[in-house]
Amino acid sequence: MFRGKTAIITGGTRGIGKAIAEEFAKRGADLLLTYRGNDEAAETTAEMLKNYHIRVLLRKGDGGLPEFARLVAGEAKSEFGRVDILVNNAGVTKDKLLLRMNADDFDEVIRVNLSGAFYITQAVASIMIKQKQGRIINISSIAGLRGNQGQVNYAASKAGLVGMTLSAAKELGSRGITVNAVAPGYIRTDMTEVLAEEQKEAILKTISLKREGRPEDVAKAVAFLSSDDAAYITGQVLGIDGGMAI
């Protein structure tokens, strides 16, 4: 389905990003994956993905910097000749209650999660406009739609991604580019594994399907929105939360 296409996935070597990368690899896409710190995890992911007989490039750097975004977009274009899909997945958390959150806690999450997505979207959109085709998918969160205690910064960044999705969809649609978002709920990742059992049980009670989601659940939805089957879908936010937001 994606043979001959190129995808950039930010934060693509672990967790949800890794699952998206593998789903794309299964469908034949060549990949450029960005990551921030864990070289071993990145190399392990790249070697696994190459088993699908695709090309994989890794680029380490700070996704919250505009110069890094321009470098990544340029490298993808020079190495692969085009950029068909961008998945803005990179993100960080610095959870604290509102009254205990300092300026650095707030600013860093906004910088990486929201500003970083803007920078790479801007850089890639210029390539996609020339191609007259492209797919952009932003990984938001249920926290960006409903809020979450102790996550004022994170929820603000993810709500910002929703607004950016809607505005970019209006601007880029006439150029053949769709822009959508997904809003995962409680997905099993390294981030959720640190929660206490009581916290996990409390969260599961709020989910209609009574189970946690898997990174693969998010990956399949992102793959659909990136495919030709979703060519007439843009400016949408798809909840992947097992009914948590009902």
Side-chain angles (χ1 to χ4, degrees):
M1 181 187 295
F2 292 162
R3 187 67 61 184
K5 294 187 175 182
T6 298
I8 296 173
I9 304 172
T10 68
T13 61
R14 300 174 64 190
I16 290 174
K18 178 181 177 181
I20 295 170
E22 184 168 14
E23 189 65 32
F24 281 15
K26 289 177 182 177
R27 299 170 187 236
D30 294 318
L31 301 171
L32 191 156
L33 310 179
T34 74
Y35 70 104
R36 192 170 183 178
N38 193 324
D39 294 322
E40 183 177 355
E43 293 293 342
T44 299
T45 296
E47 289 306 310
M48 178 271 291
L49 294 171
K50 289 175 183 177
N51 291 328
Y52 293 102
H53 307 292
I54 62 163
R55 291 181 290 171
V56 182
L57 295 178
L58 297 175
R59 175 55 63 185
K60 181 179 181 180
D62 185 341
L65 298 176
E67 54 267 33
F68 180 69
R70 290 191 293 267
L71 183 152
V72 167
E75 184 173 15
K77 178 67 167 63
S78 64
E79 291 291 331
F80 299 123
R82 58 186 297 113
V83 181
D84 300 283
I85 303 163
L86 168 64
V87 181
N88 284 313
N89 171 73
V92 297
T93 58
K94 287 182 176 290
D95 296 352
K96 289 181 184 176
L97 294 175
L98 172 65
L99 295 182
R100 296 178 180 174
M101 188 175 293
N102 61 41
D104 288 341
D105 295 328
F106 187 86
D107 292 345
E108 178 67 3
V109 172
I110 296 295
R111 185 183 73 84
V112 174
N113 297 8
L114 182 56
S115 298
F118 165 73
Y119 298 139
I120 189 67
T121 296
Q122 187 179 57
V124 167
S126 65
I127 298 171
M128 291 180 172
I129 286 171
K130 293 175 182 177
Q131 298 171 172
K132 299 181 179 180
Q133 184 181 23
R135 300 279 187 270
I136 300 171
I137 298 91
N138 295 317
I139 309 300
S140 182
S141 168
I142 190 173
L145 304 178
R146 299 184 63 192
N148 200 23
Q149 186 175 12
Q151 290 193 316
V152 166
N153 49 4
Y154 183 77
S157 72
K158 294 301 185 177
L161 279 178
V162 171
M164 190 170 76
T165 297
L166 302 179
S167 297
K170 287 179 179 290
E171 291 189 24
L172 300 176
S174 63
R175 308 301 185 95
I177 302 166
T178 65
V179 188
N180 293 289
V182 299
Y186 180 46
I187 307 296
R188 183 191 293 175
T189 63
D190 291 344
M191 191 183 301
T192 61
E193 284 304 297
V194 301
L195 297 175
E197 287 303 316
E198 311 86 74
Q199 291 175 297
K200 294 179 183 179
E201 290 174 8
I203 293 171
L204 288 174
K205 290 179 181 178
T206 70
I207 300 173
S208 296
L209 294 181
K210 302 304 177 187
R211 66 171 179 85
E212 62 190 0
R214 302 166 300 166
E216 292 77 15
D217 295 322
V218 181
K220 291 182 184 301
V222 172
F224 166 70
L225 291 173
S226 303
S227 72
D228 292 340
D229 291 335
Y232 202 59
I233 300 173
T234 195
Q236 302 301 307
V237 182
L238 175 62
I240 309 172
D241 59 13
M244 193 176 188
I246 295 174

